Amino acid sequence: RRLVWWMPPEEALESPKRFLAQVMALGTWEDVQQVRAELGSECFRAVLDDPPPGVFDQRSWHYWHHVFGIWKIPDLPRRQFH
């Protein structure tokens, strides 16, 4: 409820990539460790490969790329408005 406050938890978990991105961008150390214990580290890496736009800020985006040893950090994913 703290990380995806605009929908019920069961609905948030229906979009795992979005939920994981929220954990990566807004979660506490404990949140990250709990998810890592349940799902492993590679799920976080997979989110970086195909991130949902509008979730990450510069700080969390750079942090997670450094965690995985990715030194050429791409631009933040942005929402497209038409």
Side-chain angles (χ1 to χ4, degrees):
R1 292 181 194 265
R2 186 172 40 80
L3 299 175
V4 186
W5 56 91
W6 61 91
M7 66 178 66
E10 28 321 308
E11 195 176 323
L13 293 174
E14 291 176 7
S15 179
K17 181 171 60 171
R18 175 69 183 210
F19 173 75
L20 288 169
Q22 291 290 129
V23 171
M24 293 168 76
L26 301 173
T28 64
W29 178 254
E30 291 79 19
D31 296 332
V32 170
Q33 296 311 309
Q34 184 175 1
V35 171
R36 184 176 280 158
E38 292 290 324
L39 302 176
S41 294
E42 282 308 304
C43 66
F44 295 116
R45 172 61 195 239
V47 171
L48 289 180
D49 290 339
D50 185 27
V55 177
F56 288 95
D57 59 11
Q58 280 287 12
R59 185 172 183 239
S60 60
W61 185 243
H62 282 256
Y63 171 79
W64 282 102
H65 280 82
H66 287 288
V67 164
F68 288 103
I70 303 168
W71 305 113
K72 185 173 178 3
I73 300 171
D75 291 337
L76 271 169
R78 303 246 182 238
R79 287 189 176 110
Q80 299 293 320
F81 297 100
H82 303 280

